[in-house]
Amino acid sequence: MDSAVLGEILSVLLFAVAIGTLMLGYPVAFTLGGTSLLFALVGWLVGAFDPSYFATLAPRYFGIMQSEVLVAVPLFILMGTVLERTRIAEALLTTMGQCFGPLRGGLAVAVIVVGALLAASTGVVGATVVTMGLISLPAMLRAGYDPRLATGAICASGTLGQIIPPSTILIFVADFLQGANAEAQLRKGNFAPDPVSVSDLFAGALLPGLLLVGLYILWSVALAWARPSAAPAIAMTDAERVSLPGRIVASLVPPLLLILAVLGSILAGIATPTESASVGAVGAAALAVLRGELSLARLQEAAESTLKTTSMVFIILFGASMFSLVFRTMGGELLIEQVLHGLPGGRVGAVLAAMGMMFLLGFFLDTFEIIFIVVPLTAPALLLLDIDPIWLGVMIGVNLQTSFLTPPFGFALFYLRGVAPGSVSTADLYRGIIPFVALQLLALGLLWEFPGLATWLPSLLFR
């Protein structure tokens, strides 16, 4: 059999075996690296892989470690970790709950608003879901809320950190798309393509992120009016009512200042994402000092948590780099390009296939795993079809947000299950997220129909 055909067969088997092994629960980085080495050996024995290609891995790894853009990842993680320990979320939830509580569905609206604010200032899904689960879920259940609405609102709003900037997910998507877009443009004869930056993707994701917030709020309010017993109003004492304006100002000002410093500096072109991430980390520490909650022990805990999370993400990236190298050099990338370009419907069929595969993989794999495996393999082929890279990146971000909510491996469900009382069943959790996943798919459809939602703001600010 021809070595090129053997290479394509091996690349398909490599993808299938890697995905299957990940679903069995093996460590991601070692699964990707180990299966890649195994198939590279088989490919070398049958003449479908040249081991000399491994020489390109070292420059790739050093390039990752020296990337100025990727330096923003640990800085944003540190900012979120420090804020997690300042109890800003706790103050926000309590105050916003009392602000919206007298309205039917008001507690759900408060949770969604706080989730959006935390997303724009921390972007840490696990911390947001756990914090809101510990504080808001008992209050919502005591108020008589339907457990499905309560858990669904908490999980969905907690995942907003994956699409509302600053988002570590969008940083990696932008990094992959930049390389894929440059490669696609060179193949089309454009030797001076417009770069795809993290700032572009942050600006592009802002309106779709706010669209999701609006859809969540509309659903909660509509459900409250259709079924008043599912989301009753709560009463406030006279003392709480009198002190509410002052507490709103005190709880809103810190996160809004941080959002203005971080996101505002990026969108205004004052600072790069990496520079604004450092400002955010320092700003988060300053807020902790002002609240009297920054001790040396807490700072050490935040630094250790950041180190562990960053190490986990980058070691997965190293394993994914080896996987991508072996898959592409055995002909897998060309095979994907031929399949996507040969689908009925042209660009529409290719994007639908890629988005459908990412959505289905989200039931079984983590967001980072999907980004590191699927995006580098499909993005070059899609961008050859004259698809706007910013629109594609935002579509990927909105699509992969569902992976935190879809069972059996939705991490937001695991986080909330760990802190939810025993009266809330796992079935309530699963049923509660169904309408919110549907709303995310609706947002994806609106983004498909109106691409200007993702492309208008970047063109206004940076073009």
Side-chain angles (χ1 to χ4, degrees):
M1 187 180 293
D2 184 74
S3 60
V5 176
L6 281 173
E8 291 180 350
I9 293 173
L10 286 174
S11 63
V12 172
L13 288 174
L14 168 60
F15 184 84
V17 170
I19 297 298
T21 308
L22 289 173
M23 290 180 183
L24 293 176
Y26 287 96
V28 181
F30 305 119
T31 294
L32 295 177
T35 54
S36 301
L37 284 174
L38 178 62
F39 275 83
L41 175 62
V42 175
W44 174 54
L45 292 176
V46 299
F49 179 79
D50 186 351
S52 64
Y53 282 114
F54 281 132
T56 64
L57 278 177
R60 168 62 175 158
Y61 289 162
F62 278 105
I64 291 171
M65 291 185 287
Q66 294 172 346
S67 171
E68 181 182 348
V69 172
L70 296 183
V71 170
V73 173
L75 289 172
F76 279 130
I77 293 174
L78 177 62
M79 181 181 73
T81 307
V82 170
L83 282 178
E84 179 191 350
R85 288 159 173 78
T86 62
R87 300 183 182 175
I88 288 179
E90 188 174 331
L92 265 177
L93 282 166
T94 303
T95 306
M96 292 295 103
Q98 292 177 341
C99 181
F100 293 102
L103 306 173
R104 266 190 275 173
L107 279 180
V109 172
V111 165
I112 294 165
V113 170
V114 171
L117 289 171
L118 292 177
S121 54
T122 67
V124 182
V125 171
T128 304
V129 172
V130 169
T131 300
M132 293 196 296
L134 287 170
I135 301 168
S136 295
L137 185 56
M140 296 174 85
L141 295 177
R142 284 195 302 269
Y145 268 64
D146 186 326
R148 291 171 293 182
L149 174 60
T151 56
I154 290 172
C155 287
S157 57
T159 64
L160 288 170
Q162 296 306 298
I163 188 62
I164 294 180
S167 163
T168 53
I169 293 294
L170 294 179
I171 293 174
F172 284 109
V173 171
D175 185 60
F176 287 130
L177 286 179
Q178 185 172 24
N181 185 57
E183 177 186 336
Q185 294 300 318
L186 284 175
R187 289 180 60 181
K188 291 192 291 185
N190 180 6
F191 297 101
D194 291 331
V196 181
S197 67
V198 176
S199 299
D200 289 327
L201 220 55
F202 277 7
L206 187 58
L207 291 181
L210 295 177
L211 172 65
L212 275 171
V213 174
L215 289 174
Y216 293 167
I217 291 175
L218 284 175
W219 166 255
S220 301
V221 172
L223 184 62
W225 283 101
R227 290 174 49 210
S229 61
I234 59 172
M236 284 177 56
T237 65
D238 291 336
E240 289 173 337
R241 191 174 292 106
V242 169
S243 64
L244 184 59
R247 286 185 287 114
I248 290 176
V249 173
S251 61
L252 274 179
V253 167
L256 289 178
L257 285 177
L258 195 63
I259 292 169
L260 181 63
V262 175
L263 191 54
S265 62
I266 296 174
L267 299 182
I270 298 172
T272 65
T274 302
E275 292 166 345
S276 66
S278 61
V279 171
V282 173
L287 289 178
V289 170
L290 291 175
R291 295 176 63 89
E293 296 179 5
L294 186 65
S295 63
L296 184 60
R298 283 186 176 174
L299 189 60
Q300 183 176 350
E301 289 174 8
E304 289 178 354
S305 177
T306 301
L307 177 63
K308 291 176 182 177
T309 304
T310 304
S311 300
M312 176 200 71
V313 171
F314 277 86
I315 199 170
I316 292 174
L317 183 54
F318 290 160
S321 296
M322 180 178 292
F323 173 87
S324 179
L325 170 71
V326 175
F327 184 89
R328 296 173 74 173
T329 52
M330 288 198 301
E333 183 182 30
L334 181 60
L335 180 64
I336 287 178
E337 181 181 318
Q338 292 171 344
V339 169
L340 289 178
H341 291 187
L343 289 172
R347 289 189 299 176
V348 173
V351 175
L352 274 176
M355 291 294 133
M357 178 172 62
M358 292 181 194
F359 176 72
L360 292 176
L361 287 176
F363 282 80
F364 308 101
L365 302 181
D366 176 59
T367 303
F368 281 110
E369 298 166 13
I370 300 172
I371 288 176
F372 293 161
I373 297 173
V374 179
V375 174
L377 302 182
T378 58
L382 293 174
L383 294 176
L384 279 172
L385 297 172
D386 295 323
I387 293 170
D388 188 294
I390 298 174
W391 175 80
L392 178 61
V394 176
M395 288 281 289
I396 291 171
V398 175
N399 190 348
L400 291 182
Q401 192 183 350
T402 62
S403 68
F404 280 90
L405 298 178
T406 47
F409 297 113
F411 280 90
L413 305 178
F414 292 157
Y415 295 141
L416 189 57
R417 177 67 277 174
V419 297
S423 59
V424 177
S425 67
T426 302
D428 288 331
L429 280 172
Y430 285 174
R431 286 198 296 265
I433 57 91
I434 291 174
F436 290 95
V437 172
L439 291 173
Q440 289 176 339
L441 294 178
L442 173 60
L444 198 63
L446 291 172
L447 189 57
W448 179 293
E449 188 66 25
F450 305 102
L453 287 169
T455 58
W456 173 75
L457 191 55
S459 66
L460 180 67
L461 295 175
F462 306 121
R463 294 289 186 263

